[in-house]
């Protein structure tokens, strides 16, 4: 049996015949949605119902952090970039923590209501003012602030019924390059990374973080492979040293930062060997097919933790709807 470890994407707002065929394949275990898949909440619900009719147990995900990384907008609350919370935390920490919790709840509640299981959030990277791709996506520039605010955000997600995925382990904030376009390098030593960037991961893993996504970054003083293809980072550090027992998602294997490993079959092999439980292949149907072919030829036992990530998709009751409306109104007033 082929383990359902591939997470792929769709071209538009409706399923094509080929996409329907792929979703029914044994090797496909996840679907990630983008802005191009969205017209309205009604259309999105209809698409998700169609997907689940073909693949009832599929894990449906989205990048919906707030700020510039929010895939669905019309009909959803426009969430601020999480960096805003860091500024408030410096002035009024208790109020900022309460806002972080409510934002985590609101984000999760709105997504669960349309049938989505998880958002790949929160970002646990530190904002050093260097990374073009992280910036105000981060909850702050130091480990204590990010740990506190992201921890509150995760509590809000859990209260709504959604598991959290911390990214990008062990920290993408120092590397300047965008791993979508090139392979970033972080030249700092292990002690510095452990004392600074890894602290939010340590604290949230201790609190029960369900998922982790490693960075397509080479930490050159530690290991020659990007973290997502490194047994050292994923097995020795994440699993053994930090005791993480949840799901490890590869970052998108179609990103330039993943080209280190070769073609798509080679990327899949390297990521699985390193310790990834689910492989993302986005914006490249041919690459997704290559990974699927590789999985057919190399069956493996799937992670049991993947099933635990499926969201509580029960309709939001009236009380939760009132809370969501009130929070959305507060955000509009800011």
């Amino acid at each position: 049996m082929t383990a359902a470890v591939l997470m792929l994407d769709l071209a538009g707002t409706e399923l094509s015949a080929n996409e329907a065929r792929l979703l029914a394949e044994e090797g496909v275990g996840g679907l990630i949605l983008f802005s191009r898949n969205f017209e309205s909440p009604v259309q999105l619900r209809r698409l998700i119902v169609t997907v689940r009719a073909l693949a009832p147990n599929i894990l449906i995900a989205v990048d919906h952090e707030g700020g510039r990384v929010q895939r669905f907008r019309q009909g959803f609350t426009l969430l601020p970039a999480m960096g805003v919370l860091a500024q408030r935390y410096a002035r009024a920490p208790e109020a900022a923590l309460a806002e972080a919790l409510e934002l985590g709840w609101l984000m999760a509640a709105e997504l669960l209501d349309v049938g989505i299981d998880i958002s790949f959030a929160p970002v646990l990277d530190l904002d050093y003012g260097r990374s073009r791709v992280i910036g105000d996506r981060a909850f702050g520039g130091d480990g204590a602030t990010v740990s506190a605010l992201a921890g509150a955000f995760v509590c809000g997600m859990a209260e709504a019924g959604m598991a959290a995925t911390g990214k990008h382990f062990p920290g993408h904030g120092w590397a300047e390059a965008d791993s979508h376009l090139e392979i970033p390098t972080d030249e700092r030593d292990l002690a510095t990374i452990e004392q600074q960037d890894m602290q939010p991961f340590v604290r949230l893993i201790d609190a029960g973080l369900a998922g982790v996504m490693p960075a397509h970054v080479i930490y050159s003083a530690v290991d020659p492979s990007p973290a997502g293809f490194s047994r050292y980072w994923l097995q020795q550090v994440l699993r053994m040293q930090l005791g993480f027992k949840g799901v490890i998602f590869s970052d998108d294997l179609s990103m330039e930062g993943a080209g280190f490993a070769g073609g798509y079959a080679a990327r899949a092999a390297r990521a699985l060997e390193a310790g990834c439980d689910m492989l993302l292949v986005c914006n490249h149907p041919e690459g997704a097919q290559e990974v699927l072919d590789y999985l057919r030829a190399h069956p493996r036992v799937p992670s049991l933790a993947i099933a635990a990530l499926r969201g509580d998709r029960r309709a939001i009751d009236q009380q939760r709807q009132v809370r969501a409306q009130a929070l959305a109104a507060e955000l509009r007033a800011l």
Side-chain angles (χ1 to χ4, degrees), residues 86-152:
Q87 300 169 19
R88 295 179 188 169
Y89 187 75
R91 301 190 303 269
E94 293 303 319
L97 290 172
E99 290 173 0
L101 186 145
E102 295 290 13
L103 285 171
W105 182 91
L106 180 60
M107 179 275 291
E110 289 189 337
L111 292 177
L112 289 166
D113 190 43
V114 295
I116 291 172
D117 294 302
I118 59 171
S119 172
F120 284 125
V123 168
L124 299 183
D125 307 305
L126 306 187
D127 180 14
Y128 291 103
R130 293 169 54 91
S131 173
R132 299 194 300 269
V133 73
I134 300 301
D136 65 0
R137 295 169 64 190
F139 285 85
D142 65 273
T145 298
V146 172
S147 297
L149 290 171

Side-chain angles (χ1 to χ4, degrees), residues 198-245:
M198 280 175 52
Q199 286 310 300
F201 291 94
V202 171
R203 296 177 190 180
L204 268 71
I205 286 169
D206 287 346
L209 189 67
V212 164
M213 180 177 286
H216 286 324
V217 174
I218 296 175
Y219 303 87
S220 55
V222 182
D223 189 272
S225 299
F229 299 108
S230 166
R231 287 186 62 83
Y232 173 79
W233 282 115
L234 300 189
Q235 297 295 329
Q236 188 168 330
V237 178
L238 185 56
R239 292 293 192 198
M240 297 177 64
Q241 181 179 325
L242 303 188
F244 178 65
K245 295 180 172 59

